[in-house]
Amino acid sequence: MQHFWDQPLSWGTAGIFVAAAIGVLAFVIFFVTYAIYFERKFIGWMQYRQGPNRTGPLGLLQSVADVAKLLFKEDTIPKKADRGLFILAPVLAFVPSFAVLAFIPYGLDLQFADLNVGFLYYIALSGITTIAIVVAGWASNNKYSLLGGMRSAAQMISYEVPLVMSVVGVVMMSGSLNLRDIVISQSGYFWHWNFIPQILGFGIFLIAAVSELNRTPFDLPEAESELVAGYHVEYSGFRFAFFMLTEYIYVYAIACLTTILFLGGWNPPIPQLDFVPGIIWFFLKFAIIVFSLFWIRATFPRLRVDQLMGLAWKVLLPLAILNIFLTALGIELIG
């Protein structure tokens, strides 16, 4: 069977790809808009507050109003900023965040591109966003922005190491870096999903992913109490919106990756439930991960910067190496 992405490129297939890309972008923007709304509602509920409740029924239009406000706010550029880099940074942050969605398989034949090194593709592109954050901090010509940008670079580079190494056990068990192959290797009952045999790697991956996303309790680059607002303190209007959009697109991407790598992707928990479309199973698991990220933000206090870096190098990295060793030992004994 020839998959869609294997067909020769023509005007027709190119048009389909463009239309599908626009559709995915629209869906992701819709997700971001209402992920912000539900996050604020959920955190408000946990902290005995109302959350958004004024704009629209139940406050459902509050995020839409916030987006409109950002788009119509004055776009200011500091007089002594590096104008070219200041303008480039939000675009450099957003484009890779959207490009990583191209390789995510929502079903057996439901993805834009089937890459043999899908996870490494994510790591490579997300690294460009790290550069964009440093560029934003430097171009602003503001010491708080620069410090926020450098903190972010140190944090994201540090946590990429255990993030990648936590997935090595999954790759060893499936024998492939291809995300479709990894999901297929988890077919059957839910105890075949990687989060059970790779429970240590799963925990490391989640912690490192939260840090990669710069979310509480790892939001040191945006520590308002210390750095005003971190690397984007000088940004306003739609440029600031680009940074926020980038952050929530990575939330979407990480939730998808967690579902694929550890929760069986589109596979049902038991084969008898395979009459339910796979994409529904995928987004149910996806929703659980997103809900968990909101829960973590509402629960844990912010770490100090020394605790943040120490956790990466002194705890997560040794545990990731131990997980690789235990996986190899288990494969050897079982095989």
Side-chain angles (χ1 to χ4, degrees), residues 113-190:
D114 185 32
L115 301 180
N116 289 329
V117 289
F119 180 70
L120 295 183
Y121 173 80
Y122 169 83
I123 295 299
L125 285 182
S126 63
I128 299 176
T129 298
T130 304
I131 297 172
I133 289 173
V134 176
V135 169
W138 170 265
S140 298
N141 196 24
N142 178 305
K143 61 183 179 181
Y144 297 111
S145 296
L146 178 59
L147 186 56
M150 297 307 293
R151 270 191 179 184
S152 183
Q155 175 177 332
M156 296 177 77
I157 292 171
S158 297
Y159 278 86
E160 274 181 3
V161 178
L163 183 77
V164 174
M165 296 189 71
S166 67
V167 180
V168 172
V170 171
V171 174
M172 292 169 68
M173 293 183 65
S174 63
S176 176
L177 274 168
N178 184 295
L179 296 182
R180 287 176 69 250
D181 293 342
I182 290 174
V183 175
I184 292 170
S185 71
Q186 300 175 75
S187 300
Y189 291 92
F190 68 88

Side-chain angles (χ1 to χ4, degrees), residues 211-239:
S211 182
E212 278 280 288
L213 295 171
N214 288 336
R215 291 179 62 84
T216 308
F218 303 110
D219 58 339
L220 269 297
E222 302 170 22
E224 294 91 347
S225 59
E226 304 171 28
L227 303 176
V228 188
Y231 59 87
H232 50 57
V233 66
E234 297 289 359
Y235 282 87
S236 63
F238 74 96
R239 299 188 203 280

Side-chain angles (χ1 to χ4, degrees), residues 3-329:
H3 296 290
F4 177 75
W5 53 82
D6 294 327
Q7 295 178 11
L9 184 63
S10 65
W11 286 110
T13 54
I16 293 173
F17 272 121
V18 170
I22 293 173
V24 170
L25 179 60
F27 176 78
V28 170
I29 291 176
F30 176 82
F31 163 80
V32 170
T33 302
Y34 282 96
I36 294 171
Y37 168 79
F38 283 110
E39 182 171 17
R40 293 173 67 184
K41 271 291 190 183
F42 176 71
I43 294 176
W45 172 71
M46 289 198 72
Q47 297 174 350
Y48 296 99
R49 296 184 289 105
Q50 289 291 320
N53 64 347
R54 290 282 186 260
T55 311
L58 302 177
L60 283 169
L61 297 179
Q62 182 61 57
S63 293
V64 177
D66 290 341
V67 170
K69 177 190 71 174
L70 286 174
L71 293 178
F72 286 103
K73 282 185 71 173
E74 180 182 3
D75 175 34
T76 60
I77 300 178
K79 182 178 180 180
K80 295 187 178 181
D82 187 319
R83 186 178 180 87
L85 291 178
F86 189 88
I87 294 172
L88 176 64
V91 180
L92 197 60
F94 170 75
V95 172
S97 72
F98 182 62
V100 301
L101 305 182
F103 73 99
I104 293 175
Y106 302 100
L108 190 60
D109 297 310
L110 192 59
Q111 65 182 134
F112 281 97
D114 185 32
L115 301 180
N116 289 329
V117 289
F119 180 70
L120 295 183
Y121 173 80
Y122 169 83
I123 295 299
L125 285 182
S126 63
I128 299 176
T129 298
T130 304
I131 297 172
I133 289 173
V134 176
V135 169
W138 170 265
S140 298
N141 196 24
N142 178 305
K143 61 183 179 181
Y144 297 111
S145 296
L146 178 59
L147 186 56
M150 297 307 293
R151 270 191 179 184
S152 183
Q155 175 177 332
M156 296 177 77
I157 292 171
S158 297
Y159 278 86
E160 274 181 3
V161 178
L163 183 77
V164 174
M165 296 189 71
S166 67
V167 180
V168 172
V170 171
V171 174
M172 292 169 68
M173 293 183 65
S174 63
S176 176
L177 274 168
N178 184 295
L179 296 182
R180 287 176 69 250
D181 293 342
I182 290 174
V183 175
I184 292 170
S185 71
Q186 300 175 75
S187 300
Y189 291 92
F190 68 88
W191 52 81
H192 295 150
W193 298 352
N194 287 326
F195 86 96
I196 294 179
Q198 286 291 310
I199 186 65
L200 181 57
F202 179 58
I204 296 168
F205 183 88
L206 277 184
I207 296 171
V210 173
S211 182
E212 278 280 288
L213 295 171
N214 288 336
R215 291 179 62 84
T216 308
F218 303 110
D219 58 339
L220 269 297
E222 302 170 22
E224 294 91 347
S225 59
E226 304 171 28
L227 303 176
V228 188
Y231 59 87
H232 50 57
V233 66
E234 297 289 359
Y235 282 87
S236 63
F238 74 96
R239 299 188 203 280
F240 176 80
F242 262 69
F243 281 117
M244 293 298 98
L245 180 61
T246 298
E247 179 178 325
Y248 276 89
I249 290 179
Y250 276 122
V251 168
Y252 179 94
I254 282 291
C256 288
L257 276 177
T258 308
T259 300
I260 291 165
L261 295 171
F262 294 98
L263 300 180
W266 58 83
N267 291 314
I270 57 176
Q272 290 79 0
L273 295 176
D274 60 1
F275 62 88
V276 179
I279 194 168
I280 293 179
W281 290 117
F282 185 96
F283 278 106
L284 280 174
K285 300 169 188 176
F286 168 89
I288 292 171
I289 297 300
V290 173
F291 174 79
S292 300
L293 292 175
F294 295 167
W295 193 347
I296 289 170
R297 179 175 180 179
T299 304
F300 292 98
R302 179 181 293 146
L303 298 178
R304 297 196 314 265
V305 65
D306 59 308
Q307 295 172 326
L308 175 81
M309 301 303 288
L311 178 64
W313 295 108
K314 297 177 183 178
V315 179
L316 295 186
L317 180 59
L319 286 177
I321 295 173
L322 175 63
N323 182 63
I324 295 173
F325 173 77
L326 293 176
T327 302
L329 183 63

